[in-house]
Amino acid sequence: VEFDSGNQAEIVYESILLEFETAPDFRSSMTIELDDSNIVIDIDAADSTSFRASVNSAIKWINLALQINNLTI
C-alpha cells in the first residue's frame, strides 16, 4: 500500500501493527512491514476463502486508521 508520505505510512503502520500481531491465524497468517512510504503486507493462506478474509481485514484496518488520522489532523 503506497502512501503520500513516509510519515503517513508510519502512522498507519503503528496503528495497525497490533491487529496483525494478534489476528487469529487458523487458516492464514499475515505479516506487515514498513518500507519508506509503503506498507507491505504478506498473506499466506490455506485457501482462497481465508485469503479473501485476510485481505478484507487488512483493508478494513488500514481504512479505519486513515479515517481516524483524518479526524485528528
Side-chain angles (χ1 to χ4, degrees):
V1 181
E2 186 175 350
F3 292 89
D4 293 334
S5 69
N7 186 47
Q8 184 183 33
E10 185 176 3
I11 289 169
V12 171
Y13 175 82
E14 293 295 332
S15 299
I16 63 176
L17 183 59
L18 185 61
E19 297 296 337
F20 277 82
E21 291 176 345
T22 60
D25 57 357
F26 304 112
R27 294 178 9 211
S28 67
S29 63
M30 294 187 287
T31 59
I32 184 171
E33 179 182 319
L34 181 61
D35 182 24
D36 294 324
S37 62
N38 299 299
I39 293 178
V40 179
I41 301 167
D42 183 46
I43 301 173
D44 183 25
D47 52 59
S48 61
T49 302
S50 47
F51 178 78
R52 180 183 48 80
S54 295
V55 169
N56 288 341
S57 292
I59 290 170
K60 178 181 68 174
W61 296 329
I62 291 170
N63 190 35
L64 180 60
L66 287 171
Q67 288 176 9
I68 291 169
N69 188 39
N70 287 336
L71 288 175
T72 59
I73 292 179

